[in-house]
Amino acid sequence: MTMQKKEAILIISAGIMQIPAIKTAKSLGLYVVATDRNPQAEGFAFCDEAVVIDSKDIAGHVKFAQDNQQRLNLKAVFAGSDIAVTVAAVTNALGLPGIPMDVAQRSNNKVLMKQRWIEDGIPTPYGAEVSSEEEALKILEKIGFPAIVKAVDNAASRGSMKIDSVSQLALALHNAKQASKTGTAIIEQYVIGTEQSVETIIWNNKHYHVGMADREFGFHPYHIETAHVDPSVLDETRQQQIYDVVDAAARSLGITFGPAKADMILTAQGPMILEMTARLSGGFHSQYTTPLSSGKNPIKAVMELALNRPLDEKLLQDSVHKTAVCSGLFPPKGKIKAIHGLEKARSIPGVAEIILTRKAGDYITDFIDNGCRFCWVITVAANVEEAKAIVAEVANTIHFDIAQDT
């Protein structure tokens, strides 16, 4: 009598941000296969099988999955990072739960999503794709300054830059085109307001409002998230207005199953959507601050849907009522000689995690996108003020000894 083989899940991306997903999959009793282009990816230490494939290598993932589906008893695929298209390609090829390829492509391409939203009347800043300075100048005549130039199909604000004059256009276009597989850029009206990261999950035609975090930014003209506060401090009415736009935007893109994560901005004229992707949030939002502040478990909920199981609504209900803050630390650039006070900082009450991806001997570069961040402090307390005070205490406790560039 042969034993029933465990169900397997393929988690695409295995960096430090994906460790909570890998651990969640293990807790579900799954055989966990993780892929990443980095042979030393931190998540590989926690999975059952590690495979070195670039997360954006669609053909490579489809071939691996098809070649190994029976051996692994592969039943689900999970997006560990901004790779909804790779996930959709695998789920479509294997007949697993997921979204259609065209929907995944719209959710991963700022031009396609912008066109759809404009056509459908979804509140969003006007923007258009450009490949040259001449085309860019025509769009700028329409939208004026300030404007924001972005990569078409990248994440973590790579290639994003706010511009206030034509003199900045050439550099901004170069950066955005370099960060886009399309070799083009998108130029968008720059709107003013407070920004939110919004998490929803869609199942059986119902939109579940998982959570909303307030985002804080710095390092302009680059658009780097310096911190987020979870949950949002906005009142219930404004949150509902934001969720209404998020739900409409998801329907417009055709996302009818699984996660739909939105970047929103609340302007004086009302909420507008900036971007939406068919995955859970990064930035340690779904991974840490939502579970810490609310007790919800969006990662487990999405994994169970990927396994073709019904949604367990209890996973999306508040069981605690706290505030979590994820804040970056941003030392000056240069070579790290030593890091002092780390263990002392970790022992401070209210510190949930201090996540550090560089060590002595590594270099700190200019902070030009969210991918340049390397130190995150995650705290939890009764309210925003207390959680931020703990962050400040950590910042005063950790000392980076930097040999600064001269």
Side-chain angles (χ1 to χ4, degrees):
M1 183 176 173
T2 57
M3 290 182 63
Q4 174 64 38
K5 188 185 291 185
K6 278 185 177 183
E7 290 183 321
I9 187 170
L10 177 63
I11 296 180
I12 302 178
S13 293
I16 201 161
M17 204 175 292
Q18 287 75 50
I19 290 173
I22 294 170
K23 288 182 173 180
T24 298
K26 292 287 288 182
S27 76
L28 287 168
L30 302 173
Y31 184 83
V32 182
V33 183
T35 63
D36 203 284
R37 68 179 179 181
N38 177 11
Q40 279 77 48
E42 296 91 341
F44 282 166
F46 301 91
C47 65
D48 295 297
E49 195 168 318
V51 184
V52 179
I53 312 177
D54 191 309
S55 62
K56 295 188 177 180
D57 180 355
I58 295 171
H61 275 87
V62 170
K63 184 178 188 309
F64 171 80
Q66 289 177 326
D67 290 349
N68 293 276
Q69 184 177 18
Q70 287 193 327
R71 175 182 72 83
L72 294 169
N73 192 25
L74 186 58
K75 297 296 185 182
V77 189
F78 181 87
S81 60
D82 194 34
I83 35 76
V85 178
T86 307
V87 171
V90 177
T91 57
N92 279 259
L94 271 57
L96 299 175
I99 58 174
M101 273 295 285
D102 64 323
V103 175
Q105 287 163 342
R106 278 196 292 275
S107 84
N108 198 242
N109 183 301
K110 297 177 181 66
V111 172
L112 296 178
M113 68 177 75
K114 182 71 65 177
Q115 290 171 344
R116 181 60 68 98
W117 289 336
I118 290 172
E119 288 172 9
D120 290 348
I122 307 298
T124 187
Y126 180 81
E129 184 177 22
V130 298
S131 57
S132 66
E133 285 192 48
E134 291 74 24
E135 291 175 353
L137 288 168
K138 288 180 182 177
I139 300 300
L140 287 167
E141 283 179 15
K142 179 171 183 173
I143 65 176
F145 291 102
I148 188 162
V149 182
K150 299 178 179 180
V152 171
D153 53 4
N154 212 320
S157 294
R158 293 180 184 91
S160 292
M161 182 177 172
K162 177 189 175 188
I163 59 173
D164 294 295
S165 68
V166 173
S167 64
Q168 297 172 289
L169 179 60
L171 174 62
L173 268 182
H174 172 79
N175 290 346
K177 289 165 73 174
Q178 286 284 103
S180 302
K181 292 201 299 288
T182 60
T184 58
I186 183 168
I187 296 189
E188 187 174 279
Q189 174 192 13
Y190 188 88
V191 293
I192 306 297
T194 60
E195 296 196 41
Q196 299 82 32
S197 174
V198 182
E199 201 100 76
T200 65
I201 294 174
I202 303 161
W203 184 66
N204 276 1
N205 297 315
K206 182 175 178 181
H207 291 243
Y208 292 82
H209 298 158
V210 181
M212 185 182 303
D214 295 326
R215 308 175 76 192
E216 299 173 7
F217 291 89
F219 296 92
H220 298 298
Y222 303 104
H223 203 58
I224 295 176
E225 183 177 311
T226 55
H228 76 254
V229 175
D230 189 352
S232 171
V233 300
L234 293 173
D235 62 57
E236 194 173 320
T237 299
R238 288 189 174 180
Q239 289 198 36
Q240 187 57 55
Q241 291 170 347
I242 291 169
Y243 277 122
D244 288 345
V245 174
V246 172
D247 294 347
R251 286 191 289 269
S252 173
L253 294 184
I255 303 174
T256 58
F257 174 83
K261 186 265 181 184
D263 293 343
M264 298 293 296
I265 185 163
L266 181 60
T267 73
Q269 289 74 42
M272 303 179 86
I273 187 161
L274 302 173
E275 297 171 19
M276 173 175 279
T277 184
R279 62 172 174 92
L280 289 172
S281 57
F284 304 108
H285 178 187
S286 64
Q287 296 85 358
Y288 288 104
T289 60
T290 292
L292 285 167
S293 64
S294 67
K296 295 174 182 175
N297 194 335
I299 292 175
K300 186 176 180 181
V302 168
M303 280 187 180
E304 293 197 335
L305 291 183
L307 288 159
N308 205 25
R309 300 173 184 173
L311 182 70
D312 181 356
E313 296 188 11
K314 290 180 182 177
L315 295 172
L316 305 181
Q317 293 171 358
D318 289 320
S319 59
V320 296
H321 298 276
K322 294 184 178 180
T323 294
V325 168
C326 177
S327 180
L329 298 186
F330 300 93
K333 70 177 181 177
K335 184 177 181 179
I336 301 173
K337 296 198 293 183
I339 303 172
H340 304 287
L342 191 56
E343 292 313 310
K344 184 179 179 184
R346 285 191 167 119
S347 69
I348 294 171
V351 173
E353 297 282 344
I354 297 176
I355 298 167
L356 196 61
T357 58
R358 293 188 194 158
K359 60 186 185 306
D362 291 341
Y363 283 85
I364 302 171
T365 58
D366 286 323
F367 295 100
I368 60 170
D369 59 49
N370 289 327
C372 297
R373 300 174 301 175
F374 69 93
C375 183
W376 298 264
V377 178
I378 301 172
T379 65
V380 60
N383 54 54
V384 178
E385 293 75 22
E386 289 180 19
K388 286 192 169 184
I390 299 166
V391 171
E393 188 178 351
V394 170
N396 288 328
T397 304
I398 298 178
H399 174 65
F400 292 90
D401 189 357
I402 308 291
Q404 294 187 34
D405 294 343
T406 56

